[in-house]
Amino acid sequence: MIELAGVTKSFGSNHVLRGVDLVVPKSESMVIIGGSGTGKSVLLKCILGLVTPDSGTITLDGRDVREGDRDAFLARFGMLFQGGALFDSLSIWQNVAFRLMRGPLKRPKSEAREIAIEKLRRVGLAPEVADLFPAELSGGMQKRVGLARAIAAEPEIIFFDEPTTGLDPIMAGVINELIREIVTEMGATAMTITHDMSSVRAIADRVAMIHGGKVRWTGPIAEMDATPDPYVQQFIHGRAEGPIEAVR
Amino acid sequence: MGILAPLGALGRVTLGGLAAIGRVALFAAEAVSHLFRPPFYGREFLIACLQIGWLSLPVVGLTALFTGAALALQIYAGGARFSAEAVVPSITAIGMVRELGPVLGGLMVAARVASSIAAEIGTMKVTEQIDALVTLSTNPMKYLTVPRILAATASVPLLVGVGDIIGIMGGWMVGTGRLGFNSATYLKNTWDYLEFWDVGSGLVKGAAFGFIVAIMGCYFGMNSGRGAQGVGRATKSAVVAASVAILAANYLLTEVFFSA
């Protein structure tokens, strides 16, 4: 279980997070929604230690994420970045097997390659893709490779940062289905950031909406449409009129 | 207040400059502290050696060739004023191995390599590849910076050594082809007047310049701003900072090595 309490983060005078309280239960898929620039990505990066919060606590299974062996902590996570963040200088299979070729999870090269090809197959990519380089793939294929890399070491927790941004609706649907399947079959805890309401409905067990640097609403996906919260209603229906200013 | 305003501006620029030097120094100290601690990334080191050393050879070689040739002409023309044309081989060789070989070689590597490192790492930063490395339990300092520093520190002296030979050869070509020197005499004079420390000091300078180039490339890449403009600025800053630092370090090392 991931628990955030009173997490704040400012960049100069820009107060991005103003006291976020959030609980992500184990083996559940939590989707974070909210407008652009509301600190959703910063929140994920705070959990991973890529950004240091100014105050507040973040715990994983009751233990402060800043304590203990950092490598062991990170080994529990997989992350799909918004743009894929594939390493240009490495081939596709080397990207997917990156964690399996170094550090405590290191395996023989042939075994790492086999696992990479299996994970590529899992996300719907042919083995022939393995020896290509990221620049040779389309955006949708890069997302799939990023997804394969995120699950390669079978992590307990997977973060997805805007997994369908920049994809056509069909490819977005494919990625959403893949995420849902993988999270279900692996029994992983998932946190997804998205603006895409079709993603929310496809992926989420629970939803949290961030606005004004705080969690405005959180609850099961089944209750999202019925909530009277005007901020949530404006966001999920994409209305220009409402309490959220369209010009920020 | 009006009179003090320019002084205040000068003070802010000075403090900003000193703070920047401090940040680079801290970055360099952290990088050096990682040199001796595992894990070591051999593949990345070899790739960096190829990119920094081997692929810089043509530009460093051509620079040395033309510099050695021009140096021989200049020394001949200057020496003729007091009937000292005979010093062309020895002075060309000493000038190349002590100063021009390492400095021009270092500057050419700075232009080619510091820019390339800063652009590559800067692009990795803006496309979240550096963040991805961290989430994959890989320290970017160890994976990206250390191999490049080791490769540059090891390969630039080799480049300087090869550049020295090519530069002397450039002087020999002009000396024998244009200035009427006997080939054997030219080479004998070059060899007889060249001391071990002339060459050694140049190679030590080369190592220092290689270190500077890699540090500047990595520092500005890691601290690149967002977008294409941020990467462009980082690239430009890396080349300028590396070039200025090489010239400053050259003066300091020359003081240390050759002041009486």
Side-chain angles (χ1 to χ4, degrees):
Chain A
M1 184 171 75
I2 303 168
E3 197 166 358
L4 298 94
V7 174
T8 66
K9 180 67 191 176
S10 300
F11 296 96
S13 59
N14 182 16
H15 305 294
V16 181
L17 304 179
R18 297 169 182 261
V20 171
D21 300 306
L22 184 67
V23 174
V24 185
K26 196 174 174 68
S27 300
E28 284 207 4
S29 176
M30 168 71 82
V31 174
I32 315 279
I33 59 173
S36 298
T38 51
K40 303 183 299 296
S41 294
V42 173
L43 189 66
L44 285 195
K45 290 182 178 182
C46 283
I47 298 171
L48 288 167
L50 296 172
V51 169
T52 307
D54 296 331
S55 64
T57 58
I58 304 172
T59 59
L60 174 62
D61 296 336
R63 188 170 183 184
D64 194 311
V65 296
R66 287 166 297 189
E67 294 171 1
D69 181 359
R70 181 138 177 81
D71 281 350
F73 168 76
L74 287 170
R76 300 176 69 180
F77 287 85
M79 177 150 181
L80 170 61
F81 286 85
Q82 189 176 343
L86 302 180
F87 305 125
D88 303 319
S89 59
L90 300 180
S91 65
I92 295 303
W93 81 264
Q94 287 171 324
N95 265 280
V96 175
F98 191 90
R99 202 197 275 277
L100 306 175
M101 293 172 69
R102 42 187 66 74
L105 299 176
K106 186 172 180 176
R107 296 159 196 222
K109 192 175 171 183
S110 57
E111 189 184 336
R113 184 183 160 89
E114 260 179 45
I115 295 172
I117 289 174
E118 172 53 35
K119 296 299 176 188
L120 286 170
R121 195 176 284 123
R122 178 69 195 85
V123 298
L125 291 173
E128 293 77 53
V129 169
D131 292 314
L132 299 178
F133 281 82
E136 298 174 88
L137 302 185
S138 68
M141 289 168 90
Q142 289 190 19
K143 282 266 162 110
R144 291 190 196 208
V145 175
L147 185 53
R149 184 174 69 183
I151 62 171
E154 309 205 337
E156 298 167 44
I157 304 151
I158 313 177
F159 288 173
F160 303 98
D161 188 358
E162 311 223 10
T164 56
T165 299
L167 302 181
D168 65 69
I170 295 168
M171 185 55 70
V174 170
I175 294 283
N176 287 337
E177 274 182 31
L178 272 173
I179 290 173
R180 183 73 252 185
E181 283 172 22
I182 286 166
V183 168
T184 305
E185 79 188 35
M186 289 174 63
T189 306
M191 270 182 90
T192 306
I193 286 171
T194 187
H195 301 113
D196 178 357
M197 289 314 297
S198 62
S199 284
V200 178
R201 295 179 198 286
I203 296 171
D205 295 321
R206 298 179 67 81
V207 179
M209 179 173 175
I210 291 190
H211 182 74
K214 293 185 172 187
V215 174
R216 173 83 206 175
W217 177 84
T218 184
I221 180 72
E223 294 174 13
M224 183 178 72
D225 289 315
T227 179
D229 188 295
Y231 289 82
V232 177
Q233 287 302 318
Q234 184 188 355
F235 189 87
I236 65 177
H237 293 108
R239 295 186 193 119
E241 300 296 320
I244 303 173
E245 290 175 30
V247 180
R248 289 190 288 270
Chain B
M1 192 66 181
I3 300 169
L4 291 177
L7 285 176
L10 183 64
R12 278 191 293 278
V13 169
T14 306
L15 287 174
L18 290 173
I21 291 170
R23 283 193 293 273
V24 174
L26 286 173
F27 180 85
E30 191 190 345
V32 169
S33 78
H34 283 287
L35 289 178
F36 308 103
R37 288 183 284 158
F40 302 109
Y41 295 102
R43 179 181 175 274
E44 279 64 36
F45 170 71
L46 292 176
I47 291 171
C49 283
L50 179 74
Q51 288 176 342
I52 296 170
W54 181 248
L55 297 179
S56 296
L57 195 53
V59 70
V60 171
L62 283 171
T63 304
L65 182 72
F66 292 122
T67 304
L71 192 60
L73 283 176
Q74 289 282 17
I75 293 166
Y76 185 82
R81 293 176 192 168
F82 38 92
S83 303
E85 295 94 332
V87 299
V88 167
S90 54
I91 300 297
T92 300
I94 291 171
M96 276 308 299
V97 301
R98 277 194 183 188
E99 277 298 319
L100 294 175
V103 171
L104 292 181
L107 290 176
M108 294 312 287
V109 172
R112 190 185 165 278
V113 173
S115 57
S116 155
I117 293 175
E120 185 181 358
I121 296 181
T123 304
M124 288 184 75
K125 188 182 177 201
V126 300
T127 56
E128 295 186 303
Q129 292 178 51
I130 304 268
D131 285 345
L133 275 178
V134 176
T135 63
L136 293 165
S137 305
T138 301
N139 186 330
M141 190 63 105
K142 284 189 187 296
Y143 185 75
L144 297 174
T145 303
V146 168
R148 285 166 174 77
I149 289 174
L150 283 175
T153 308
S155 60
V156 174
L158 295 177
L159 282 173
V160 168
V162 174
D164 287 347
I165 294 167
I166 295 173
I168 290 170
M169 201 175 77
W172 170 81
M173 285 164 64
V174 168
T176 55
R178 289 258 295 107
L179 306 176
F181 280 86
N182 173 276
S183 176
T185 309
Y186 189 102
L187 292 175
K188 185 174 185 312
N189 279 352
T190 298
W191 183 254
D192 285 350
Y193 287 95
L194 211 51
E195 294 179 3
F196 172 77
W197 187 235
D198 293 331
V199 179
S201 64
L203 299 184
V204 173
K205 282 182 178 181
F209 299 162
F211 178 81
I212 288 169
V213 165
I215 285 288
M216 292 304 183
C218 292
Y219 173 79
F220 284 100
M222 290 278 193
N223 291 283
S224 166
R226 289 184 176 187
Q229 195 178 32
V231 176
R233 194 174 292 139
T235 306
K236 177 192 71 184
S237 301
V239 175
V240 171
S243 303
V244 172
I246 282 172
L247 294 173
N250 179 58
Y251 168 70
L252 291 174
L253 290 172
T254 305
E255 278 281 5
V256 170
F257 294 154
F258 298 108
S259 62

